[in-house]
Amino acid sequence: MTALLRYQGALLLRSQRWLAPLIAYAALVAVGIRPGDPVADSLGLVAAGLVPAAAWLVRICVGVEPDAARACTAAAAGPVRVHAAALLTASTGALLAGAAAAAVALLTGDRSGTDPGRAALAGALAVAACALTGAAVGALCSRPLVRRRGHGILAATLGSLLALILAVSPARGAVSALVTAGRSGPVPLPLTALAGALLLAAGAGATTCLAAARRS
């Protein structure tokens, strides 16, 4: 699996298609975070923006390999492992981007009346929850489940929006916890949201990996 992860990472980096979601996410963070804002609010924005960014990155990583090369890789390592490596590569990239943005929010936000260590932990949990939720959306809106590019983009856009507004969404729960804490009270730890995001990402990943195995 390590070799597959390196291979998928090299494919993604060489394609330079990761620049678009990264630049869009960086622009959101630069515009949305202002020095002196409550640190919990800033962390909530960082986490929320990661949902569409992660979905976009997953779609790129899953589709970056040409079909002929993908068939050869699947024949050598197995379609399930290849698809899982693509999902893990994209999820790792989203988590790294979220960690960098969260560090900016912690450095520039107003931490008065807030335990910095607890705020950092809450932000890390929220970033992980939103990254995993976005990755699940991207996985379900990409090949092999959705083959057409236009349909996949539309589905990922709507899925990311629903992930941010539906009350049952782990991403919505994590962001709401931070935003509420930014207005009153101590910063809560969105552990339930993270657990839900882990289950959602695992289910989406298993579904798409099995679909990839059936279509290989």
Side-chain angles (χ1 to χ4, degrees):
M1 181 60 79
T2 302
L4 282 174
L5 290 172
R6 286 200 297 264
Y7 172 67
Q8 292 291 342
L11 279 176
L12 181 63
L13 290 175
R14 283 202 302 266
S15 72
Q16 298 186 358
R17 292 170 62 185
W18 54 272
L19 285 171
L22 182 62
I23 291 173
Y25 182 59
L28 172 68
V29 172
V31 172
I33 293 181
R34 294 175 297 180
D37 283 348
V39 67
D41 281 353
S42 297
L43 289 170
L45 176 67
V46 164
L50 203 56
V51 173
W56 192 352
L57 195 59
V58 166
R59 278 191 46 78
I60 290 173
C61 201
V62 168
V64 70
E65 192 175 13
D67 290 339
R70 183 64 173 261
C72 293
T73 309
V80 171
R81 286 164 55 85
V82 172
H83 197 77
L87 296 177
L88 288 172
T89 300
S91 300
T92 301
L95 286 170
L96 290 175
V104 173
L106 288 168
L107 290 173
T108 61
D110 180 13
R111 298 186 298 275
S112 60
T114 303
D115 180 7
R118 187 176 180 86
L121 179 57
L125 294 175
V127 162
C130 288
L132 291 171
T133 302
V137 171
L140 295 174
C141 299
S142 305
R143 71 177 188 181
L145 298 182
V146 181
R147 303 292 297 182
R148 294 192 176 184
R149 179 183 176 86
H151 293 170
I153 292 174
L154 178 60
T157 301
L158 293 176
S160 298
L161 179 61
L162 291 174
L164 290 171
I165 64 175
L166 290 179
V168 296
S169 168
R172 165 70 183 274
V175 173
S176 297
L178 289 175
V179 172
T180 301
R183 298 190 177 98
S184 62
V187 181
L189 300 180
L191 294 172
T192 302
L194 178 59
L198 284 169
L199 290 175
L200 181 62
T207 300
T208 55
C209 285
L210 291 175
R214 286 197 299 267
R215 296 196 179 190
S216 63

